[in-house]
Amino acid sequence: MSFHVESEVGVLKQVIVHRPGLELSRLTPANHDELLFDDVLWSERARQEHDAFAATLREHGVLVHHFGELLAEALDAPGARGFLACHLTTRFRFGPALERHLDDLVRVAPAATLASYLIGGVLKRDIAGVIDAPSLLLEYLHDDDFLLTPLPNHLFQRDNAAFAYDGLSINPMAKPARRRETINSRLVFDFHPAFAAGGVRKLYGDDSLDHDRATLEGGDIAVIGNRAVMVGMGERSTPQGVEMLARALFRAGTVDTVIAVELPRERSFMHLDTAMTMVDRDAFSVFPYLPHELRSFTLHRLGADGEYKLEENKELFPVVADVLGVERVRVLRTPIDRSGAAREQWNDGNNFLALAPGVVVGYERNTTTNRYLADEGIQVVPIVGEELGRGRGGPRCLTCPIEREAVAR
């Protein structure tokens, strides 16, 4: 099976999503800030909304894969549990007294149970009576303390891994609360039979290096098509990370142009797709009050070694139009006052997932933006996101496309 993403708005064929599980039930008033959530979500309702979202995708012909299931299947592949013992259950994470005992558990635990804990976290009481070791860490922890913290941000599958054309970046995440997601993503993409047999080209991050400041997240990566990628630089993806990705894309020979966009350094603009998303072959939905003078830079491929020519752009969207080969880009800024725009922005009013050119999925609550896009010829397929949206992520955030067609021009 071939996995590739040729555009942002071509017909969507396959995606990975993560149905909220144990990890969302372990989000509390005491830990939600540390885990990058603004509130405690109603987990049961969030699952219902996510199920409806997945059903909407299937109704539009999209093959939906669930990350938790892929992870469980990957854990039964040869070498997967050894990888986990090497990269997760280490003496530096748990102390030398626990390392061997946790390695043993990793090797014998049923795959579905282990996958649930890798995402949902492990409390001390979860392993009470299973491990008998003179561990200072175990003695120190209370029964309801986390031995392994939950990963509720796995809900946002866009960020931890991203396909760009025929390549895959397994992204080094910016925040400590999300960095362990990369281990789970590497398990899936390195060991699951569907991906291991598919010969997926790895671009960046599929290693055990210290990436330091070169962080990158998929919400900042937009495959705009025509051998070009746009990447946001802000709270999560750094210039160093963007350059690492650009050089990998240029070496792969599938991309000629990378456009790097500087974002406002605010939580509501944590990724490029919280500020703008592509909704048609020539159109972007853009936060109405996003500064017109956003700085952007174009990296032009020079050769097979990853070198590039760098230039700062006078304006962003004329450059995008030129790269896409269209006369102009329709920049769709909803006519709305600042307070209304801020409310819809907080609820991911510009975070759309394209199903096909001019057909996108968005949260129904952003009524002003949705009506405006409809007036501009964009069909918005509405979904409920009362709980999902409280995690500060929209339909694009919830999905990792693994197969999407190019756009006919």
Side-chain angles (χ1 to χ4, degrees), residues 157-225:
Q157 280 294 300
R158 176 69 56 164
D159 295 327
N160 47 66
F163 275 86
Y165 300 95
D166 68 345
L168 171 69
S169 177
I170 301 180
N171 300 319
M173 312 292 278
K175 301 292 186 179
R178 300 201 66 178
R179 288 177 189 158
R180 234 179 55 241
E181 293 177 44
T182 304
I183 296 176
N184 293 344
S185 293
R186 290 180 67 190
L187 277 165
V188 168
F189 289 111
D190 290 348
F191 293 98
H192 192 284
F195 298 104
V200 175
R201 186 203 303 263
K202 304 295 173 48
L203 296 169
Y204 180 48
D206 187 29
D207 53 54
S208 302
L209 301 175
D210 177 6
H211 297 94
D212 200 8
R213 291 287 299 148
T215 59
L216 186 70
E217 299 192 1
D220 282 312
I221 301 171
V223 184
I224 59 176

Side-chain angles (χ1 to χ4, degrees), residues 67-80:
F67 183 82
E69 296 174 3
L70 294 175
L71 182 59
E73 292 162 359
L75 285 167
D76 279 338

Side-chain angles (χ1 to χ4, degrees), residues 116-136:
S116 176
Y117 282 134
L118 289 176
I119 299 172
V122 178
L123 297 169
K124 176 183 174 179
R125 61 177 166 83
D126 290 331
I127 61 168
V130 177
I131 292 179
D132 181 18
S135 164
L136 181 59

Side-chain angles (χ1 to χ4, degrees), residues 51-62 355 361 381-383:
D51 289 344
F53 170 56
T56 296
L57 295 179
R58 293 189 188 97
E59 289 165 6
H60 286 81
V62 181
L355 300 172
V361 180
V381 179
I383 63 166

